[in-house]
Amino acid sequence: MTATLTPVEEAIAHLLGKAPVITATEALPLTESYGRILARDYQAPADVPPADNSAVDGYALRAEDYVPGQALPLSDRIPAGSAPSPLKPGTAARIFTGSEVPAGADTVVMQERVEVADDGILINADIKADQNIRRRGQDLAKGSLALAKGTKVRAQEMGLLASMGLAEVTLVRKLRVAILSTGDELVDPGNPLEAGQIYNTNRFTLLALAAEAGCEVVLCETLRDNRTITRETLERAAAQADLIITSGGVSVGEEDHVRAVLEESGELSLWRLAIKPGKPLAFGSIKGTPVLGLPGNPATVLVTFLVVGMPYIRTCQGRLRTYPVGQQVPAAFNVTSPSIRREFVRARLESVEGKTQVNAYPNQSSGVLSSACWADGLAIVPEHSTVAAGDLLTYYPFTELLS
């Protein structure tokens, strides 16, 4: 395996080329679809809304019947949920938001513009046809594509599916993930620390990231620094998971066993990226199951999962969009020493004199996870580049990196 640093785009392309798309599906109640991925296209089975309805509380009438200063008699009252009778010419009907507009009416005047008199209503506004009416099929026309296969179901997608009358949807089976942390020094929170020990940060970071990514964690263990145990645990995880994610054990130290096991008992197809933080990242497989070996430092685990791991996971899920879009924002910080690696800086947007800028946390050490709690996203410093305040940088919010 060459020690040459692989560029970020090349590494991601390599991973995506080896990402198996999940074909298994499951039908679940709509109430359980949030955060899941649609397994098929959904066409509107009927027009949405199914009939013209009022957008306001007010009065339905024919625009041609309106005469300024002349009262229109009321002929009907149409509460929401009732089927209206056709409107009598030369009259108006009291109507409410969401109520079906009666046949013959072509406009709705909001109640704030109407004065109720003994002989009907007086309209205190100019009116025109089609105002304040939500037309049949305005949202979705029957047979049109409402949501495409690969769409992630958010609150708005749940609402749209409900508007089509769907109580059950077909979803992609969750990607099954095994999370393995490596290191004799790791102790679970809640236990006292002995000399040389630290709490297992990465386990909980990865559990949360996997949940946000819509994955199912089928195994979560801490590996001791032992070659045999590492091999046995990886092989056991391979039998249960679609993807194994490890933290630590992928560098060149004598106790870094994950990379060595992949070389000896599986496949190691990628190692050492031109990314900062995160150079000693590995990708391969064991017993046919992909293994994404992240570095061990806490901030690096977060960054590499978002930058490299999420595009891979999205591809496995059959998602419509693999990469985040990002935005161009002026920098509020300086970088004076160029690096051969692309740096993903923990940063956040700030308003300075009414202008939006992106500022970096002052300590970008790979072990400083508090920097990611301060930050709202990652700003990109290209390889071989310096940055002066005011230079445009690409910025990715954490929400977009995980969406």
Side-chain angles (χ1 to χ4, degrees):
M1 177 63 60
T2 178
T4 302
L5 299 183
T6 304
V8 175
E9 287 91 353
E10 184 178 327
I12 293 175
H14 175 81
L15 263 69
L16 300 195
K18 292 181 174 292
V21 178
I22 298 171
T23 57
T25 65
E26 56 183 343
L28 289 178
L30 179 59
T31 52
E32 298 177 24
S33 67
Y34 181 77
R36 301 291 297 273
I37 311 302
L38 295 180
R40 69 172 182 87
D41 292 341
Y42 277 90
Q43 283 81 21
D47 291 332
V48 179
D52 296 348
N53 69 82
S54 178
V56 297
D57 291 344
Y59 298 85
L61 60 139
R62 293 193 310 174
E64 64 184 61
D65 288 338
Y66 166 65
V67 178
Q70 181 175 315
L72 272 176
L74 288 175
S75 62
D76 202 357
R77 183 178 186 274
I78 309 169
S82 64
S85 300
L87 182 70
K88 295 179 181 179
T91 70
R94 180 71 164 117
I95 198 167
F96 301 89
T97 303
S99 296
E100 186 174 330
V101 175
D106 62 6
T107 189
V108 175
V109 181
M110 64 177 59
Q111 62 187 18
E112 291 85 354
R113 301 299 180 88
V114 172
E115 180 183 343
V116 180
D118 292 337
D119 55 350
I121 59 169
L122 289 170
I123 299 172
N124 301 314
D126 293 331
I127 67 171
K128 58 184 179 180
D130 292 328
Q131 68 182 21
N132 300 318
I133 295 178
R134 294 186 288 234
R135 291 297 182 186
R136 174 176 178 170
Q138 172 183 285
D139 194 358
L140 295 172
K142 181 179 179 179
S144 65
L145 178 64
L147 293 169
K149 176 181 178 181
T151 298
K152 183 176 182 179
V153 179
R154 303 167 296 173
Q156 49 268 53
E157 282 79 18
M158 284 188 73
L160 193 65
L161 290 163
S163 77
M164 295 188 285
L166 297 173
E168 184 179 87
V169 288
T170 304
L171 304 164
V172 176
R173 175 182 60 75
K174 284 189 174 185
L175 185 75
R176 295 185 294 245
V177 174
I179 295 173
L180 304 176
S181 309
T182 68
D184 288 340
E185 75 279 13
L186 299 180
V187 175
D188 285 340
N191 297 303
L193 290 178
E194 304 293 340
Q197 294 181 331
I198 59 173
Y199 287 119
N200 189 346
T201 301
N202 295 337
R203 176 182 184 180
F204 295 90
T205 300
L206 288 170
L207 279 170
L209 288 169
E212 286 281 352
C215 301
E216 176 188 358
V217 176
V218 295
L219 183 70
C220 185
E221 295 185 7
T222 300
L223 293 179
R224 296 301 138 199
D225 291 324
N226 177 282
R227 186 72 54 88
T228 300
I229 292 175
T230 298
R231 178 182 296 104
E232 291 174 351
T233 306
L234 283 171
E235 291 179 350
R236 179 161 50 88
Q240 303 178 47
D242 302 306
L243 171 65
I244 302 169
I245 301 177
T246 66
S247 61
V250 293
S251 192
V252 293
E254 295 178 2
E255 301 298 334
D256 289 317
H257 298 295
V258 172
R259 180 181 62 84
V261 168
L262 292 180
E263 287 184 312
E264 295 169 0
S265 304
E267 177 196 21
L268 180 65
S269 61
L270 181 69
W271 182 53
R272 291 169 56 91
L273 270 60
I275 185 175
K276 183 179 180 182
K279 180 175 67 174
L281 183 145
F283 180 77
S285 65
I286 190 162
K287 298 291 184 180
T289 298
V291 179
L292 178 62
L294 306 180
N297 285 313
T300 306
V301 165
L302 175 69
V303 171
T304 51
F305 182 96
L306 293 175
V307 174
V308 179
M310 275 306 301
Y312 180 90
I313 289 172
R314 289 191 193 100
T315 301
C316 292
Q317 294 171 330
R319 297 276 293 276
L320 293 176
R321 181 181 293 174
T322 303
Y323 301 100
V325 176
Q327 55 188 293
Q328 296 294 301
V329 185
F333 61 94
N334 300 300
V335 176
T336 57
S337 300
S339 172
I340 62 172
R341 295 184 285 162
R342 182 174 306 173
E343 185 169 7
F344 291 80
V345 177
R346 283 141 274 162
R348 71 183 183 191
L349 299 183
E350 297 177 348
S351 180
V352 180
E353 297 179 350
K355 296 182 179 180
T356 300
Q357 298 180 338
V358 60
N359 206 357
Y361 192 77
N363 188 343
Q364 291 291 319
S365 169
S366 58
V368 180
L369 189 58
S370 58
S371 62
C373 299
W374 174 91
D376 294 322
L378 301 175
I380 314 306
V381 178
E383 45 274 78
H384 311 295
S385 300
T386 59
V387 175
D391 289 350
L392 287 178
L393 297 178
T394 301
Y395 171 77
Y396 298 103
F398 287 141
T399 52
E400 186 178 349
L401 288 164
L402 267 171
S403 67

